[in-house]
Amino acid sequence: MAKVLVTGAAGFIGSNLSGRLLDRGDTVVGLDNLNSYYDVNLKKARLSRLEGRDGFLHVNMDLEDRNGIAELFAKEKFDMAVNLAAQAGVRYSIDNPLAYVDSNMVGFAHLLEGCRHSKVKHFVFASSSSVYGANTNMPFSVHNNVDHPLSLYAASKKANELMAHTYAHLFRIPVTGLRFFTVYGPWGRPDMALYLFTKAMLAGEKINVFNNGKMRRDFTYIDDIVEGVIRVLDKIPAPNPNWDSDKPDPATSKAPYRIYNIGNNKQVDLMSYIRALEESLGIEAKMNMMEMQPGDVPATWANVDDLVADVGFKPQTTVKEGINRFVEWYREYHKI
């Protein structure tokens, strides 16, 4: 049993992860500021599944609160920390870049400082498939350089990886970054495609289909994401004794640092994804075909060989199964 800090505990991934950690007997301090980027009521509903459970404490705090974060680490003396709090969304970062600097970079630095001074045994943090940016060599490998982000969101996640490596090197804090690939499922974010499509289709409205439908994504079901996070959390990274500074491997280091992809290791055409949703809802989608959005990419695809080799896990949930579970939850939650 461990005491674990989970930031973003009222979020999609954070709430699900917190529940799984509690199930296995860990103590969880869930930090979340319940901001209004999307429906606060959904965040409160997620949080209500955790509050009242033995071993759970919610702390309402901003990551940007330097003194508050420092005091929290000093008081609670966490064994491990998982950072899932962030200003999310690629498109939102086009219009609101400073929100990403404040939360994703300044706030992240405060967490690193907390881990440093309280000697946390393992710091796991959410990165994103968006860091691959202009890369087109697929499937995306953690051993490839990711130096050409296409949005500030992606740049902030790449910055997190660099900052974490620095702390692993200087202070020997074991850190692991997880690049998530298009997470979906029950309790998902309302700004994500599946939620938006479902809401519009049930209302008889058109759905916005970007790049005229010529998009491919590595859709990853929430339970697979959570299982991957837990397995990685339990595997504290060690320095790579074979790391070569003449041929540096971006995924490992002489420091206790590791990067993994967590994706379904499959590409799914967006139109096939929509057809699976049509079948699940029993509704034919009306589509508004649109151009590619700034900062977006036409395709993602995760190479998960390192995840399989190191923690013995590979996501397996099919899109059809995952969409059916989401639709079932959506109808129940919204009473439709």
Side-chain angles (χ1 to χ4, degrees):
M1 292 186 293
K3 178 180 277 192
V4 185
L5 171 66
V6 176
T7 71
F12 178 28
I13 301 173
S15 61
N16 281 280
L17 175 65
S18 296
R20 281 287 304 277
L21 292 172
L22 292 170
D23 288 344
R24 73 176 194 172
D26 290 336
T27 298
V28 175
V29 175
L31 185 149
D32 203 295
N33 67 356
L34 298 173
N35 71 30
S36 58
Y37 170 63
Y38 61 81
D39 184 13
V40 174
N41 290 322
L42 176 58
K43 297 181 180 183
K44 289 179 178 178
R46 294 186 189 126
L47 203 56
S48 70
R49 299 191 300 158
L50 303 170
E51 291 181 314
R53 292 190 60 178
D54 289 342
F56 181 77
L57 172 67
H58 171 230
V59 175
N60 194 320
M61 186 183 296
D62 291 334
L63 291 182
E64 301 96 295
D65 183 350
R66 181 189 300 184
N67 292 333
I69 295 295
E71 290 170 3
L72 182 66
F73 272 88
K75 175 185 176 184
E76 297 292 345
K77 297 179 172 55
F78 301 111
D79 297 304
M80 298 179 178
V82 183
N83 180 41
L84 298 171
Q87 178 56 61
V90 169
R91 294 176 190 121
Y92 187 73
S93 70
I94 306 296
D95 299 321
N96 300 276
L98 294 182
Y100 293 75
V101 174
D102 291 341
S103 178
N104 299 10
M105 296 168 68
V106 174
F108 190 79
H110 294 162
L111 292 174
L112 287 170
E113 277 291 281
C115 291
R116 168 193 175 188
H117 291 294
S118 61
K119 295 180 170 50
V120 166
K121 297 172 186 174
H122 192 189
F123 178 48
V124 175
F125 64 95
S127 185
S128 167
S129 62
S130 67
V131 300
Y132 289 101
N135 290 24
T136 55
N137 183 19
M138 294 194 190
F140 292 146
S141 169
V142 291
H143 302 288
N144 294 339
N145 284 316
V146 287
D147 293 332
H148 299 88
L150 299 180
S151 69
L152 191 66
Y153 171 71
S156 73
K157 290 298 187 177
K158 168 67 174 178
N160 288 170
E161 295 181 3
L162 297 174
M163 294 162 71
H165 180 269
T166 302
Y167 272 70
H169 168 72
L170 291 174
F171 309 114
R172 312 314 289 178
I173 301 168
V175 297
T176 303
L178 302 176
R179 295 173 180 167
F180 297 142
F181 281 69
T182 314
V183 189
Y184 74 102
W187 298 98
R189 283 180 17 218
D191 61 323
M192 296 293 285
L194 182 57
Y195 206 116
L196 292 170
F197 289 171
T198 302
K199 181 180 179 181
M201 288 168 66
L202 286 170
E205 299 170 352
K206 287 187 175 181
I207 63 174
N208 292 328
V209 181
F210 293 105
N211 200 30
N212 296 300
K214 298 176 182 177
M215 305 276 273
R216 299 187 309 279
R217 286 289 182 269
D218 195 333
F219 294 101
T220 314
Y221 188 67
I222 181 61
D223 290 359
D224 290 330
I225 290 286
V226 170
E227 180 65 27
V229 173
I230 286 178
R231 293 206 189 194
V232 168
L233 181 65
D234 291 341
K235 184 175 179 60
I236 297 176
N240 178 1
N242 301 314
W243 196 82
D244 184 353
S245 57
D246 286 335
K247 298 177 182 177
D249 172 17
T252 65
S253 175
K254 286 185 176 179
Y257 172 86
R258 200 70 173 87
I259 295 289
Y260 295 102
N261 288 332
I262 302 186
N264 212 38
N265 193 221
K266 292 184 180 71
Q267 279 192 319
V268 175
D269 179 87
L270 178 58
M271 298 307 295
S272 297
Y273 192 70
I274 292 170
R275 283 193 290 272
L277 179 58
E278 288 177 324
E279 182 179 337
S280 186
L281 288 171
I283 299 172
E284 183 175 347
K286 303 170 186 175
M287 303 182 203
N288 182 26
M289 295 297 185
M290 303 180 71
E291 297 299 314
M292 177 79 81
Q293 292 287 287
D296 212 345
V297 296
T300 64
W301 182 10
N303 179 320
V304 295
D305 290 350
D306 287 55
L307 184 72
V308 174
D310 289 356
V311 302
F313 176 68
K314 182 178 181 179
Q316 298 288 343
T317 307
T318 66
V319 160
K320 181 178 180 179
E321 183 180 2
I323 286 179
N324 284 340
R325 291 179 188 172
F326 172 82
V327 168
E328 182 180 356
W329 167 81
Y330 187 97
R331 288 186 181 279
E332 181 179 349
Y333 179 77
H334 290 283
K335 297 178 173 57
I336 297 176

